[in-house]
Amino acid sequence: MKRFWDFFWPAVGLGAVIWSVRLLYLKLEAEAATDGAIRKLLDEGDLWSDIQVIASVISQKLHAISPQAHFLSLLSTLVAYGALAWYDRIALIYLKREQNISWLYISMCSFVTYALSHNIGASVFSGGMVRYRAYSAKNLTPAEIAALVALCSFTFAFGTMMMLGLVLVFEPQILEPLKSWSPLFAMSETLARGSGAFLLLLCMIYTIGAWKGFKPVKIGGFELFYPGMNVVLRQYLAAPLELIGAAGIIYFALPAEGNPGYAIVLGAFLLSFSAGLLSQVPGGVGVMEAVFLAIMPGLPASSVFAALLVWRMLYLIMPLVFALPVILLFERSQLGQLTRHLRDPKDEAASH
């Protein structure tokens, strides 16, 4: 049974790569085929001609944005993914397992995790699979890896609550264009500010729990300890930094004329990205466009679509492209170790 699982996980990794390559192509095709004439060309062409059409259309859309805007959006992407790596580091500090795991290893694991989960969806499963493979190789137990995944997800939720709370307090009118979608958005500016203040209050209650040192929760033989202030203070920095960077990609890609300002862009990003995650729509396709167009009626739809294309290219598609070789190299190294052990069982026994 152990040998079965040793070969099963590399097979899963290879399957994820194949699925991701297909998903990557479909994403690029969807971005290019917003025009009816382009859709017809893609329907009538073969694979090679379709790739050429997709590359040409996307290139034209990206060229409409200035080089300076592309550069600033790229810097924002690096900030966002750097903060995401900090999520894993914070979780390892919480588990007291950070000592023997390098920043480079953590960063690569985090990068691959979010490159897959942001594109595939079902982030707990897809992200959990990558982290299980990576951190079990560093001798973390399944319970520790589950706690790590949970804390990383909570760090994101914590940052979203905090930043959305701030946006609602200072820009409560952001919900006004969305009231036709749901009665939840049909609230006065005073009530919107109150909702934002409530989200900030929840963040404060969580912080007080860390300061006071709430007792651990026992789940079977595993104890779940309340994070200490050393963890919570890092979350206060890492979580907003990731969201600020991710929203910055879109903000810098939007034209200056008609740009509603960074706070509105951040609020639109938080609302649309969260809705995309809850709906499990990979990349929030369709959801983000609808929210941004509703909140920013002063911007041409083509400019909004172009900015969101830059976001998807930098935050979703390019990370996925770079993550796939990392997965293949990791699984190749794991299979190499396994085959060496199979050839010489004495070495495996000696290693234990």
Side-chain angles (χ1 to χ4, degrees), residues 19-323:
W19 185 16
S20 298
V21 170
R22 173 169 171 73
L23 181 64
L24 177 63
Y25 175 79
L26 293 175
K27 278 179 173 290
L28 292 172
E29 183 185 40
E31 292 290 350
T34 53
D35 181 83
I38 300 298
R39 177 75 269 173
K40 185 177 179 181
L41 282 175
L42 293 174
D43 290 339
E44 294 175 352
D46 56 22
L47 178 62
W48 177 241
S49 66
D50 286 355
I51 291 173
Q52 290 178 307
V53 170
I54 290 169
S56 175
V57 172
I58 288 179
S59 177
Q60 290 175 12
K61 289 183 178 182
L62 294 178
H63 273 102
I65 298 171
S66 71
Q68 182 184 9
H70 278 297
F71 177 71
L72 292 173
S73 293
L74 178 60
L75 286 182
S76 297
T77 307
L78 295 177
V79 169
Y81 271 91
L84 286 172
W86 201 0
Y87 284 17
D88 280 49
R89 179 74 176 181
I90 291 169
L92 289 168
I93 290 171
Y94 165 76
L95 295 168
K96 298 180 172 61
R97 296 298 302 269
E98 80 281 7
Q99 294 298 326
N100 298 319
I101 306 177
S102 69
W103 254 109
L104 178 60
Y105 190 91
I106 294 170
S107 298
M108 292 304 295
C109 174
S110 170
F111 176 77
V112 173
T113 294
Y114 289 107
L116 283 180
S117 63
H118 285 161
N119 283 279
I120 294 174
S123 57
V124 173
F125 172 75
S126 55
M129 179 188 72
V130 174
R131 287 190 173 110
Y132 177 79
R133 290 293 291 153
Y135 290 121
S136 60
K138 293 296 183 179
N139 300 317
L140 267 69
T141 66
E144 288 175 325
I145 296 170
L148 183 147
V149 172
L151 190 65
C152 287
S153 298
F154 178 78
T155 300
F156 169 78
F158 175 72
T160 301
M161 287 172 58
M162 179 168 50
M163 299 308 292
L164 186 56
L166 290 172
V167 169
L168 290 176
V169 168
F170 291 102
E171 301 285 353
Q173 75 280 4
I174 195 172
L175 298 180
E176 176 68 22
L178 304 177
K179 65 181 182 180
S180 60
W181 291 16
S182 169
L184 292 174
F185 298 116
M187 60 178 72
S188 65
E189 291 191 7
T190 301
L191 184 56
R193 282 197 173 95
S195 300
F198 177 71
L199 292 176
L200 295 176
L201 177 62
L202 292 178
C203 294
M204 289 303 301
I205 292 172
Y206 168 66
T207 308
I208 292 169
W211 177 45
K212 292 294 186 180
F214 285 179
K215 293 180 180 179
V217 176
K218 289 188 177 181
I219 305 173
F222 183 73
E223 282 191 328
L224 185 63
F225 289 88
Y226 200 95
M229 286 300 292
N230 63 326
V231 168
V232 174
L233 291 177
R234 286 177 170 86
Q235 289 176 314
Y236 265 102
L237 295 174
L241 191 62
E242 189 269 324
L243 296 168
I244 288 169
I249 302 170
I250 302 170
Y251 171 74
F252 289 119
L254 288 170
E257 186 177 354
N259 193 314
Y262 181 79
I264 297 296
V265 174
L266 175 61
F269 173 77
L270 292 171
L271 291 168
S272 60
F273 192 64
S274 298
L277 287 177
L278 291 172
S279 64
Q280 292 299 312
V281 176
V285 176
V287 178
M288 295 189 71
E289 283 80 359
V291 172
F292 271 84
L293 287 174
I295 292 177
M296 303 175 188
L299 283 171
S302 58
S303 297
V304 173
F305 289 151
L308 291 177
L309 173 60
V310 171
W311 180 80
R312 288 200 173 93
M313 291 295 295
L314 292 177
Y315 194 76
L316 302 179
I317 294 173
M318 292 308 297
L320 183 60
V321 170
F322 289 119

